[in-house]
Amino acid sequence: MGLKIYTGGTFDLLHAGHVELLRKCKELGEVTVALNTDDFIENYKGKPPVMTYQEREAVLLACRYVDRVIPNHGGTDSKPSILAVKPDLIVIGSDWAKKDYYKQMQFTTDWLDQHGIGLAYVPYSWGISSTEIKRRIAVD
């Protein structure tokens, strides 16, 4: 058996970029997705997701690369969700390499080290996003 893998996000309008991230996670081990709640998304992005939590959860659970989905009840503080999973590794897209992921998730490298958790970046899938899908739909 592989590592315990944690990844998180909104996963609204699941697309090929999401699937590729999840596939790369699955190559490393057992995948748990911490799925952002509808309330958090609306507060954070200023608008609700297109798909409800239950719809996004159902789609993720149907993906062969996902073993488990949990709600990210901590909102911007991901530590409670991370501690609930007790992962060996947090896996995120490389688009976060140019952003302050630690600040966004409200943890530090010391906190990760204290809990024996690694952080890995996987290549981001450029050219596809939920925002891009919404733009394509709006053009039709």
Side-chain angles (χ1 to χ4, degrees):
M1 186 167 170
L3 301 171
K4 286 178 73 174
I5 306 300
Y6 171 102
T7 195
T10 297
F11 295 92
D12 202 12
L13 303 177
L14 192 75
H15 55 71
H18 290 136
V19 173
E20 185 61 12
L21 168 68
L22 297 168
R23 184 188 66 75
K24 289 175 180 167
C25 287
K26 188 65 179 170
E27 287 177 358
L28 299 170
E30 179 183 318
V31 179
T32 298
V33 175
L35 186 60
N36 291 330
T37 64
D38 295 343
D39 288 341
F40 169 73
I41 296 165
E42 188 160 7
N43 290 334
Y44 183 74
K45 296 186 176 187
K47 57 188 173 188
V50 173
M51 297 170 60
T52 66
Y53 178 91
Q54 290 77 17
E55 291 166 338
R56 293 178 290 119
E57 177 186 46
V59 171
L60 283 168
L61 288 172
C63 177
R64 66 181 169 188
Y65 305 124
V66 175
D67 295 295
R68 187 167 69 133
V69 175
I70 64 167
N72 177 20
H73 286 302
T76 56
D77 183 1
S78 294
K79 292 189 298 291
S81 294
I82 294 167
L83 291 174
V85 175
K86 298 182 177 124
D88 299 301
L89 195 59
I90 297 170
V91 178
I92 58 175
S94 61
D95 56 320
W96 280 101
K98 295 180 181 174
K99 304 174 189 175
D100 192 346
Y101 185 73
Y102 294 95
K103 182 178 179 185
Q104 170 79 19
M105 299 297 113
Q106 296 188 14
F107 57 67
T108 63
T109 54
D110 287 342
W111 184 85
L112 290 175
D113 290 345
Q114 289 169 5
H115 294 281
I117 302 169
L119 178 66
Y121 295 96
V122 297
Y124 180 75
S125 298
W126 296 102
I128 186 69
S129 67
S130 297
T131 301
E132 171 60 15
I133 291 171
K134 290 174 194 173
R135 187 196 65 75
R136 292 176 191 175
I137 293 169
V139 171
D140 286 346

